[in-house]
Amino acid sequence: MKKLFAMLLAMAMMLSLFACSNNNPTSSQGATGSEAPSQGTEESAAPSQSGEENPGAAETDPDKIDDNPTSADGTYEIAMITDVGDLKDKSFNEGTWNGVKLYAAANSKTYKYYRPANGNDATDEDRYAAYVAAIKSGAKVIVAPGFLQAGAMRKAAVEYPEVNFVFIDGFPLTERDSEDDPGEVLANVAGIAFQEEQCGYLAGYAIVKEGFTKLGFSGGGGGTNPACCRYGYGYVQGANAAAAEMGVNVEVRYTWQYGSNYSASPELQAMMQGWYTNGTEIVFAAGGSIFNSITAAAAANDGYVVGVDVDQSGQSDTVVTSAMKGLEQSVNFGLDKHFGDKWADIGGTATSLGAKDDAVGLPTATWSMEEFSVADYEKLLAGIKDGSVSVDADYDNLEQSYSNLTLTVE
């Protein structure tokens, strides 16, 4: 399985396909506006499938696999429920969708995506309606990215125990959302998360080794998204470790302001403008389309950016590198368990993919670093894999004292 992950991650890096839970680098949190959005019903959801009707059944480039073909009998074995935002977001939704398409093309499976009604303002009921529409259209397994899916997924999983749910960036669910009486763990839900602290660490370490000493972090979700929190904490740890090795001191400005809904905004751009004007050299944009606000401010001030989740180098010349996680790998992992009759291995449990699974990393083929070499990166990554480099995942420890780093939380 590790070899499979390594192969897929390498492919993803080359294709620049990866992006923080609930992300979007192009507009509100996941939209490029290039597809007709589906609204959580069979009729309004844009159909997509693979199999005999799909001429790209052996295709390895997801961009060449049709997003919207139709199946011969009108049913779809695999469904995806989008996270906040649209499908083609060059980020979290799209990375997950690419995994669905690649798996379906390789295994002749039909598939379809559903975007819950009301877009970024979707409620649990909107998401639940999308789950029901998918199941009525024949879905036997549903892939859903983003922690906001939990409430609707719980309701659907209880009502449709014969359907399996791959919860990307998720966790095991119980029958009820109650600490006093949670009920049984749902065996038809597989929570697959990532060790984002590790790829955040890689990014923070790399840019300090590259020579940056005045860093920033701007996160999505208002500090409530565990994935974004892990990214930020890992980033700070990596920056401090590199600074300690070099005998230098670094500064990090850290904020969740204006990122709660993962959307670009004039307010965030103005804030970042102030940061760059006052000396910040590079900012980790960890929260969907807030990337747009940060890259705009960076471009206007000769500043730089670290991308998130996917390789975002193709979206702005300001991107030095990206902290990536294997969205495609996680989808392949979950679907392979479902269709390989091995669901019991992951159903009702928490899976966390990291360096040991070759599921986190930096895009060495596209980064613009010169001082930090690929050999340096591979050595560091190997240290995280074998445990000789320790990365703490408990982001409640963020505001500790660091040996070579001054952290300012705004």
Side-chain angles (χ1 to χ4, degrees):
M1 181 60 69
K2 289 183 180 180
K3 291 182 179 178
L4 174 61
F5 280 132
M7 177 185 70
L8 288 170
L9 185 59
M11 179 191 304
M13 288 179 177
M14 292 174 64
L15 296 174
S16 303
L17 290 172
F18 282 108
C20 169
S21 291
N22 304 320
N23 286 357
N24 166 18
T26 53
S27 68
S28 77
Q29 176 191 341
T32 62
S34 60
E35 89 285 7
S38 50
Q39 300 297 322
T41 65
E42 240 179 282
E43 293 77 11
S44 62
S48 51
Q49 64 98 32
S50 71
E52 288 75 17
E53 297 92 339
N54 185 356
E59 185 57 65
T60 58
D61 181 353
D63 288 337
K64 295 181 180 179
I65 302 174
D66 196 348
D67 289 321
N68 302 299
T70 56
S71 71
D73 62 0
T75 65
Y76 303 87
E77 299 164 273
I78 306 171
M80 174 181 154
I81 310 300
T82 64
D83 192 14
V84 176
D86 293 330
L87 183 72
K88 308 295 282 189
D89 62 2
K90 302 296 183 185
S91 186
F92 200 66
N93 279 330
E94 188 168 356
T96 304
W97 182 236
N98 286 340
V100 170
K101 291 197 296 181
L102 287 167
Y103 185 91
N107 295 279
S108 297
K109 304 297 182 183
T110 55
Y111 62 96
K112 179 176 180 176
Y113 78 86
Y114 298 77
R115 183 190 179 204
N118 295 313
N120 288 357
D121 297 319
T123 64
D124 280 351
E125 285 305 309
D126 293 328
R127 295 185 182 94
Y128 173 72
Y131 282 100
V132 172
I135 294 167
K136 288 183 176 180
S137 290
K140 302 302 181 186
V141 59
I142 297 177
V143 178
F147 76 111
L148 293 174
Q149 303 275 3
M153 183 181 293
R154 172 182 286 109
K155 183 176 180 180
V158 168
E159 294 187 14
Y160 299 94
E162 72 282 4
V163 177
N164 287 333
F165 298 80
V166 180
F167 191 4
I168 305 298
D169 250 19
F171 37 84
L173 297 176
T174 55
E175 293 175 306
R176 293 175 289 278
D177 184 16
S178 168
E179 292 184 3
D180 296 330
D181 184 24
E184 298 295 323
V185 174
L186 295 171
N188 58 336
V189 175
I192 303 178
F194 299 89
Q195 295 170 326
E196 290 92 355
E197 69 279 2
Q198 293 181 349
C199 44
Y201 185 101
L202 290 166
Y205 184 98
I207 62 173
V208 171
K209 287 288 187 175
E210 184 65 13
F212 293 100
T213 60
K214 295 185 182 300
L215 285 54
F217 172 86
S218 179
T224 64
N225 183 327
C228 292
C229 291
R230 289 192 293 268
Y231 270 130
Y233 183 37
Y235 177 68
V236 170
Q237 292 175 74
N240 182 65
E245 290 179 11
M246 298 170 70
V248 301
N249 294 308
V250 300
E251 300 173 8
V252 179
R253 300 180 75 169
Y254 198 103
T255 188
W256 299 105
Q257 292 185 53
Y258 309 118
S260 60
N261 64 356
Y262 310 92
S263 298
S265 69
E267 293 81 7
L268 178 60
Q269 186 169 334
M271 183 181 191
M272 293 296 105
Q273 176 82 17
W275 279 19
Y276 285 116
T277 300
N278 288 291
T280 299
E281 301 164 329
I282 188 166
V283 176
F284 185 5
S289 63
I290 67 173
F291 174 88
N292 285 342
S293 297
I294 297 169
T295 54
N301 292 276
D302 296 323
Y304 298 93
V305 174
V306 174
V308 73
D309 285 344
V310 305
D311 180 1
Q312 295 188 302
S313 61
Q315 298 169 52
S316 173
D317 291 338
T318 65
V319 174
V320 172
T321 189
S322 300
M324 295 171 25
K325 59 187 180 186
L327 297 172
E328 293 178 17
Q329 295 95 304
S330 67
V331 174
N332 185 87
F333 177 81
L335 292 178
D336 195 53
K337 293 295 185 181
H338 171 81
F339 288 105
D341 294 325
K342 296 181 180 179
W343 185 260
D345 294 347
I346 61 171
T349 65
T351 299
S352 183
L353 305 177
K356 289 183 178 180
D357 309 292
D358 294 305
V360 299
L362 304 181
T364 58
T366 61
W367 72 22
S368 59
M369 291 183 289
E370 298 177 355
E371 299 300 321
F372 185 67
S373 69
V374 174
D376 294 332
Y377 165 72
E378 290 176 345
K379 180 180 178 181
L380 177 62
L381 183 61
I384 295 176
K385 287 182 178 182
D386 66 25
S388 60
V389 175
S390 178
V391 186
D392 184 14
D394 185 1
Y395 49 82
D396 287 337
N397 295 325
L398 172 68
E399 295 189 61
Q400 62 180 281
S401 295
Y402 296 92
S403 63
N404 292 68
L405 182 146
T406 300
L407 178 69
T408 302
V409 179
E410 301 182 14

